[in-house]
Each structure stands twice: as C-alpha cells, then as structure tokens.
Amino acid sequence: MAKDKTITVKQIGSPIRREKSQRATLIGLGLNKMNKERELVDTPEVRGMINKIPHLVRVLGE
C-alpha cells in the first residue's frame, strides 16, 4: 500500500463574526483555535475545504 500524501494546515484567522458554514469548515479540518496546526491527508475533499476558507488558513507543507 502506498503512503498517502499529507499537507500541514495552519489556522491564521479567527472564526469570530464569520458565517456558520466557515466555522463548520474549520471544525471539519480539525481547527478551532488561532495558530493551531493539523496534518491532513491530501485529498480533493480537504483541498476543497481549504479553498473555501483561504482567508482563515494557510498551507505550510505539502
């Protein structure tokens, strides 16, 4: 079985005064506090979530 590619995502923006869907996307990515980082499997679904909230997250490593 091949090793899955991962990406590291960091939350750079606050979910305060954002739409509920944007907050839910952050929680779906496993982020909920400023400067928190998560290592996620690089899938089209995760990329879509990141593209939905580019003003709140930054991709650190691929």
Side-chain angles (χ1 to χ4, degrees):
M1 188 170 176
K3 199 172 192 182
D4 293 331
K5 285 187 170 182
T6 60
I7 55 175
T8 304
V9 181
K10 181 176 184 177
Q11 182 177 342
I12 59 168
S14 173
I16 296 174
R17 299 188 70 185
R18 303 286 181 184
E19 294 181 14
K20 288 183 180 182
S21 64
Q22 292 181 5
R23 288 183 188 205
T25 303
L26 276 174
I27 292 169
L29 289 171
L31 303 170
N32 61 353
K33 295 183 181 176
M34 292 291 296
N35 299 313
K36 189 171 180 181
E37 294 181 12
R38 283 291 309 255
E39 191 169 310
L40 303 166
V41 177
D42 191 6
T43 63
E45 294 82 4
V46 170
R47 287 288 182 170
M49 293 171 80
I50 292 169
N51 289 336
K52 186 176 176 185
I53 53 169
H55 54 288
L56 297 178
V57 297
R58 176 173 292 137
V59 177
L60 299 177
E62 296 187 25

